[in-house]
Amino acid sequence: MPETIKNYIAGKWIDADQGKTFKSLNPADHREVVGIVPDSTAEDVNKAVAAARKAFPAWRDTPAPKRGEILFRAAEILVKRKAELGELVCREMGKVLAESLGDVQEAIDMAYYMGGEGRRLNGETVPSELPNKDARSLRVPIGVFALITPWNFPTAIPSWKIAPALVAGNTIVFKPAEETPVCATRLVEILVETGLPPGVLNLVHGFGAQAGEPLVRHQEIDGVSFTGSNEVGEKLAALCGSSHKDFMMETGGKNPIIIMDDANLELAVEGALWGAFGTTGQRCTAASRLIVQNGIYDRFLQAFTQRATQLKLGNGLNKGIDVGPIISKAQHEKVLSYLKIGQEEGATLHLGGHSYVEGDCVHGTFIEPTIFTDVNPKMRIAQEEIFGPVVSIIRARDLKEAIDIANGIPFGLSSAIYSNDVNTTATAERDLDTGLVYINASTIGAEIQLPFGGTKKTGLGPREAGGRGGALDLYTKWKIIYRDYSGRLQKAQIDE
Ligand code: UN1
């Protein structure tokens, strides 16, 4: 039975102003409607922003440790309901059950971590150059944040944004991806259950053009955090720049794994398989390029192909499935178009290359794990983000050439190298121009206690997640306080 969901505005669950709805489907079986969803417009956005604005002063003035406690409570509820939520993620987004549970776990980790930040939102106290004067910095909230999230991590990525925004004292209008609205609703329900005051967190469902863009354009929005495509992100960046809104985007990736001649072959094969075909390649951290040194090339290709052939496609709720569906028909078309492009460019289609329509998969949107060989690093399939189970294998003579190929793209999110030589891996650590570098591990699986994000066209603005230079730099601004208790006029830089 499909679930009818609502927007959450000013502490109430309500339908879209115009009463319209759309459907969220199970990508493994499009006959299953997971949710009937409010199709919101600027009217709904306006109500939500007004509610968030109204709630802001009291939330800002709530002690940060108390705001943190709400996140601890949310984490506890998430722990109790992890199995149920994981199943929902699997039904609505399609990733296999173990990965769906991992998605929820990442939200749990983030809620606990950011809950703790409630007691650590520290600034600096420094000596003043004048007597009887204090100098210190404070982190203060920005105001009302628009949070726009993608479908590929339907609980984890919303938690990356909601948890730090809340603990820092901002109020929120959350516009989740239209493909995974039920997962987003469940997360909001859990936060509501913790006793979050009305208006602090508002949820508006809908599409980018009708709901997302009016939200970002709204003059009462102070900050925007967006994860999704470069195309949309760059448009939002321009809008935010011209209206002085704080902005962060996390967009594309085209992540390489370098496999050197001295690598542990088995380890490299397993890492490449997990990076390329885990989450059906629908991660911004997915390994979509394997740069393999000549001496190990043939052995690697043989072992990798053999393992890729064994992967089982299907509904991720079923046992033994390794690769789930592609999220939607539109995305399925896009991936198929790249399979054509690759062949037209002269790459060799080494494995896969078609829709997968065996058995029940005929009702979903599946694509076979696909390997291209004879790929020139400048081909479109080696430069552009495909976001599907498609990997390009590229040959390299030596470390220098491998790193040049790895860096020779517009993106810079994640990279990895497999080698047992410490000099090789240390050089790669230094020279790979990506936000994340993995040594003898795949390109996916970043942990939440360190910043997450990349270089070049992968993103803009402060990084997400925890640690120094992470999300708190986006969700707070600095306020500097000078307090003079000398009782006389003191002149900085002038008084002796
Ligand atoms: C994403 O694909 O947008 O490092 C996020 C990883 C996950 C997050 C991926 N922890 O692969």
Side-chain angles (χ1 to χ4, degrees):
M1 266 294 281
E3 184 179 332
T4 299
I5 58 173
K6 293 183 187 282
N7 288 335
Y8 185 70
I9 297 175
K12 293 204 170 58
W13 294 98
I14 55 175
D15 292 324
D17 190 68
Q18 296 182 5
K20 285 201 201 141
T21 57
F22 65 93
K23 288 175 183 151
S24 134
L25 306 178
N26 178 344
D29 185 341
H30 291 241
R31 294 170 303 178
E32 187 195 347
V33 178
V34 181
I36 298 177
V37 190
D39 190 354
S40 311
T41 58
E43 285 303 309
D44 307 288
V45 165
N46 292 346
K47 282 187 218 159
V49 176
R53 172 60 57 204
K54 190 164 167 230
F56 176 60
W59 186 243
R60 176 195 61 200
D61 296 341
T62 302
K66 290 268 174 267
R67 298 195 298 250
E69 279 169 24
I70 288 206
L71 296 179
F72 286 131
R73 285 205 284 280
E76 276 161 18
I77 302 171
L78 282 165
V79 168
K80 281 206 200 87
R81 294 176 59 180
K82 181 174 168 184
E84 169 212 328
L85 257 95
E87 197 183 311
L88 175 65
V89 169
C90 185
R91 278 176 54 226
E92 196 174 42
M93 184 274 162
K95 62 176 85 172
V96 298
L97 189 57
E99 290 185 35
S100 295
L101 291 165
D103 195 308
V104 180
Q105 185 59 45
E106 202 160 329
I108 294 169
D109 297 341
M110 188 58 92
Y112 275 127
Y113 182 92
M114 288 295 166
E117 290 294 341
R119 289 181 187 271
R120 274 193 305 265
L121 276 172
N122 54 321
E124 282 182 298
T125 302
V126 295
S128 165
E129 58 194 48
L130 292 165
N132 301 319
K133 186 179 170 192
D134 300 333
R136 64 200 164 94
S137 62
L138 299 174
R139 281 189 186 275
V140 296
I142 309 275
V144 180
F145 251 93
L147 306 181
I148 303 183
T149 58
W151 46 263
N152 69 332
F153 276 81
T155 57
I157 294 183
S159 81
W160 290 10
K161 300 187 193 295
I162 293 173
L166 285 180
V167 80
N170 303 281
T171 57
I172 295 170
V173 180
F174 169 33
K175 207 299 276 173
E178 60 270 21
E179 291 87 350
T180 50
V182 183
C183 294
T185 303
R186 207 56 91 243
L187 192 64
V188 171
E189 282 168 3
I190 287 170
L191 282 152
V192 168
E193 202 181 318
T194 63
L196 207 59
V200 170
L201 173 61
N202 304 276
L203 169 67
V204 177
H205 292 290
F207 295 86
Q210 292 79 17
E213 197 176 321
L215 175 61
V216 172
R217 283 184 183 275
H218 200 295
Q219 59 185 17
E220 290 286 329
I221 288 289
D222 301 303
V224 175
S225 172
F226 169 81
T227 301
S229 71
N230 276 72
E231 191 195 343
V232 174
E234 285 158 21
K235 194 170 161 196
L236 300 185
L239 284 176
C240 290
S242 59
S243 55
H244 290 260
K245 293 180 168 103
D246 283 49
F247 182 74
M248 189 284 314
M249 67 170 162
E250 153 60 27
T251 49
K254 190 73 187 174
N255 313 293
I257 299 182
I258 297 175
I259 297 144
M260 299 298 290
D261 284 348
D262 72 335
N264 175 329
L265 180 66
E266 240 168 81
L267 198 64
V269 167
E270 289 308 314
L273 209 68
W274 175 224
F277 304 126
T279 327
T280 321
Q282 301 174 112
R283 293 198 190 211
C284 50
T285 52
S288 46
R289 297 180 299 151
L290 306 178
I291 303 168
V292 188
Q293 202 179 358
N294 280 326
I296 199 172
Y297 188 93
D298 291 341
R299 279 178 298 140
F300 175 81
L301 182 61
Q302 199 209 356
F304 181 65
T305 310
Q306 200 221 345
R307 286 289 285 112
T309 317
Q310 290 164 354
L311 295 174
K312 291 216 163 28
L313 275 78
N315 185 326
L317 284 178
N318 298 334
K319 277 218 161 60
I321 296 298
D322 303 296
V323 181
I326 301 284
I327 186 71
S328 65
K329 287 197 170 129
Q331 202 57 30
H332 185 254
E333 286 303 308
K334 182 184 159 197
V335 177
L336 289 178
S337 78
Y338 273 104
L339 301 184
K340 216 166 134 228
I341 290 167
Q343 292 173 79
E344 283 166 7
E345 289 178 307
T348 303
L349 184 60
H350 176 77
L351 183 76
H354 306 97
S355 285
Y356 182 78
V357 289
E358 297 292 310
D360 277 350
C361 290
V362 72
H363 301 295
T365 30
F366 291 85
I367 290 180
E368 296 166 349
T370 296
I371 303 172
F372 277 112
T373 53
D374 300 316
V375 177
N376 176 308
K378 293 289 169 225
M379 286 178 182
R380 286 183 62 192
I381 53 165
Q383 289 282 325
E384 296 172 19
E385 188 176 48
I386 300 175
F387 230 61
V390 183
V391 69
S392 290
I393 307 194
I394 304 171
R395 279 180 186 271
R397 276 189 310 274
D398 52 21
L399 180 64
K400 163 126 191 13
E401 190 185 38
I403 290 176
D404 285 346
I405 294 169
N407 289 340
I409 49 157
F411 303 108
L413 180 54
S414 184
S415 59
I417 182 163
Y418 282 87
S419 164
N420 282 325
D421 183 289
V422 68
N423 297 339
T424 301
T425 56
T427 306
E429 280 176 29
R430 186 192 62 196
D431 292 345
L432 285 167
D433 184 11
T434 51
L436 312 164
V437 178
Y438 289 88
I439 310 300
N440 291 322
S442 194
T443 52
I444 65 181
E447 302 178 28
I448 61 92
Q449 62 275 25
L450 282 172
F452 179 92
T455 61
K456 299 189 270 187
K457 286 193 171 171
T458 285
L460 189 70
R463 299 284 166 92
E464 304 220 79
R468 256 174 196 273
L472 292 179
D473 283 357
L474 173 66
Y475 296 104
T476 63
K477 57 190 170 195
W478 290 111
K479 181 179 266 188
I480 309 302
I481 311 283
Y482 295 110
R483 182 170 53 179
D484 191 318
Y485 53 96
S486 68
R488 60 191 174 87
L489 176 64
Q490 300 201 88
K491 294 181 184 149
Q493 294 92 38
I494 292 171
D495 283 1
E496 286 296 319

